[in-house]
Amino acid sequence: MSTSPDVETDNKSRILDAAADAFMIHGFANTTVDAIADDVGATKGLIYYHFRSKFDIFLAAYEHGMRQVREQVEPCAYADGTGRERLVSMSIAHVVNLMTDLGYHHVVHQGVREQASVALKPRQRDALMNLNELRRDYEQLFHRVISDGIDDGSLRQVDAALAARTLLSSLNAVDVWYRRLDSQSTSAIRTLAYDVVDLIVGGIAESNR
């Protein structure tokens, strides 16, 4: 009997969720397919039914993480408002996504760092480079909105590319100290994200705005 598409999608999602958390806690090298299967409550056979290797799981988690955050942030980039207002909305959505999907966030950062690893095979390095293009394209969203804010006077006259990289680096640094509590509500996460963004974006905002 074949498995329904909905069940297959759910299985893949559970595998990726478990793998992202495992990669975050243990790192790619120290995570095993056995451990992922145990966390999912499945057999290794189910894992290999959906993915050829641990590295393919990692790539799928990386892509999922990038697509999820972009899905949350991109609408804010094209909403009404000044450049600063849109940048604040984008930054809040980014941090909320980070706090909600912390494991996937760590996978993306591991992928960026591992691109230069001599231990990777050429095929693996090429796959990571392709995914890192998604990350660079995502950064361009922030670059464009910062440029809009400079043009409309809501942001200071700064190097927009440098500001985008610095802003995202600062937002991403939240993962150093943030750990979600079981009792933490969605509203509390958003409030914390707003407070973080208010502190960070203030560094490039005009003081009279």
Side-chain angles (χ1 to χ4, degrees):
M1 181 182 295
S2 61
T3 306
S4 72
D6 287 344
V7 171
E8 289 200 5
T9 299
D10 181 62
N11 285 338
K12 289 187 72 172
S13 295
R14 291 191 300 118
I15 291 167
L16 290 181
D17 288 347
D21 287 343
F23 293 141
M24 174 179 66
I25 295 169
H26 306 295
F28 176 78
N30 294 323
T31 297
T32 66
V33 173
D34 283 312
I36 295 171
D38 287 343
D39 289 343
V40 175
T43 63
K44 282 174 61 176
L46 179 65
I47 307 297
Y48 284 121
Y49 174 77
H50 291 287
F51 301 98
R52 288 193 306 166
S53 68
K54 183 177 71 169
F55 188 73
D56 288 306
I57 300 173
F58 182 85
L59 292 176
Y62 186 148
E63 183 174 5
H64 178 82
M66 282 306 311
R67 296 197 184 283
Q68 283 286 99
V69 69
R70 180 154 191 150
E71 183 179 299
Q72 298 300 314
V73 171
E74 188 167 21
C76 303
Y78 297 105
D80 294 331
T82 65
R84 179 184 177 179
E85 289 167 342
R86 286 181 286 138
L87 184 65
V88 167
S89 295
M90 292 168 67
S91 300
I92 291 172
H94 179 91
V95 176
V96 168
N97 175 270
L98 180 156
M99 293 176 172
T100 305
D101 292 330
L102 192 58
Y104 286 103
H105 173 82
H106 276 269
V107 167
V108 171
H109 276 234
Q110 286 181 48
V112 172
R113 289 192 299 268
E114 289 298 322
Q115 183 177 319
S117 172
V118 296
L120 293 179
K121 298 176 181 178
R123 176 186 71 84
Q124 296 172 329
R125 189 174 294 108
D126 289 345
L128 276 182
M129 288 177 65
N130 289 335
L131 284 176
N132 283 339
E133 284 298 320
L134 294 178
R135 181 187 58 80
R136 282 186 283 271
D137 189 51
Y138 177 69
E139 183 181 294
Q140 284 300 309
L141 281 177
F142 285 81
H143 184 173
R144 288 196 293 271
V145 172
I146 289 172
S147 295
D148 289 345
I150 293 170
D151 290 342
D152 68 29
S154 61
L155 297 175
R156 292 196 293 116
Q157 292 290 330
V158 295
D159 182 319
L162 178 62
R165 294 191 187 101
T166 302
L167 173 64
L168 282 168
S169 295
S170 299
L171 297 176
N172 290 335
V174 171
D175 74 355
V176 174
W177 54 265
Y178 177 76
R179 294 297 179 270
R180 185 172 184 176
L181 303 174
D182 290 339
S183 59
Q184 193 171 32
S185 67
T186 301
S187 176
I189 290 174
R190 187 167 183 81
T191 297
L192 179 56
Y194 176 87
D195 290 342
V196 168
V197 170
D198 186 54
L199 289 170
I200 295 173
V201 174
I204 59 171
E206 283 287 6
S207 59
N208 62 341
R209 296 280 174 150

